Amino acid sequence: MGETVVVTDAWGWLTTGAHWTGEEGIGRRLAEHVYVSGAALLIAAALALPLGLWLGHIGRGGALAVNVSNVGRAIPVFAVLALFMVSPLRNAGYVPTVVALVLFAIPPLLTNAYVGMREVDRAAVRAARGMGMTGGQLFRQVELPLARPVVMTGVRSAAVQVVATATVAAMVGQGGLGRIITAGFATYDTARVVAGAVLVALLALLVEGVLVGVDRLIGRRAGPKRSKRKPAGPKRAEPRRTRAIRS
């Protein structure tokens, strides 16, 4: 019964128009959360994806890079963020939060990019080389399309993790949806805490859905184009012409 009351109160808090406007409103906090998460994901992808794809293409140094990235997963984001907040970066706005999230997003991006390239069918690679493809053509036309599903899995994983983890920015006074949760804890407002958590979960699901749609769209465009012409039917046999025999 108590859980039903909490859910009802959280729904009431979310549907109150006054909570969506103003400096502390949901609209502003949502924009801050999307900005921080998006910036961190774009920077991490720009750093990790080219490196992972290149290492997977040449087949060297990838194991070391993957192991280093796995070590990075063991470092808590909040600990990194706390260290930045006692450094000169504490007055640099969202920079400490973005840097901490970039370090958190790199491991899944780098690992999946490398693994995806190494799991490409070697027979297809040998056949492409036998056809005379250069290294660049092999990468763009064979390896990258075949590795795309694994690479996009890493992108989706990193995106969801970043969106969920960006809430810790509120612990050090930064913006985002985490501010709604911390404000709820500060005022013992359980409905507000639950509402903030629901907003973060919904945003993560939305990001996941958008990336799944983008992946399918890329897959359709990269696939073989089907001809729109109707298949030709069987040719009708022409009647044999016989010459009249003159008597």
Side-chain angles (χ1 to χ4, degrees), residues 13-14 19-22 24-31 177 180 199:
W13 194 91
L14 285 171
H19 294 157
W20 286 84
T21 58
E24 300 292 330
I26 296 174
R28 180 180 177 83
R29 296 308 181 196
L30 180 61
L177 294 174
I180 298 175
L199 288 171

Side-chain angles (χ1 to χ4, degrees), residues 95-106:
V95 172
T97 303
V98 171
V99 173
L101 292 176
V102 166
L103 296 177
F104 183 69
I106 283 178

Side-chain angles (χ1 to χ4, degrees), residues 41 44-45 48-49 73 104-114 116 147-162 208 211 215:
L41 184 63
L49 290 183
R73 294 185 182 186
F104 183 69
I106 283 178
L109 292 170
L110 179 61
T111 302
N112 280 58
Y114 175 78
R148 177 186 53 80
V150 179
V151 175
M152 287 302 298
T153 299
V155 173
R156 295 198 304 269
S157 176
V160 171
Q161 291 178 19
V162 165
E208 171 81 7
L211 290 176
D215 185 20

Side-chain angles (χ1 to χ4, degrees), residues 165-204:
T165 310
T167 55
V168 302
M171 301 293 184
V172 292
Q174 298 294 321
L177 294 174
R179 289 292 291 273
I180 298 175
I181 299 174
T182 55
F185 278 123
T187 57
Y188 301 97
D189 189 347
T190 305
R192 188 169 186 172
V193 173
V194 174
V198 168
L199 288 171
V200 174
L202 290 177
L203 180 59

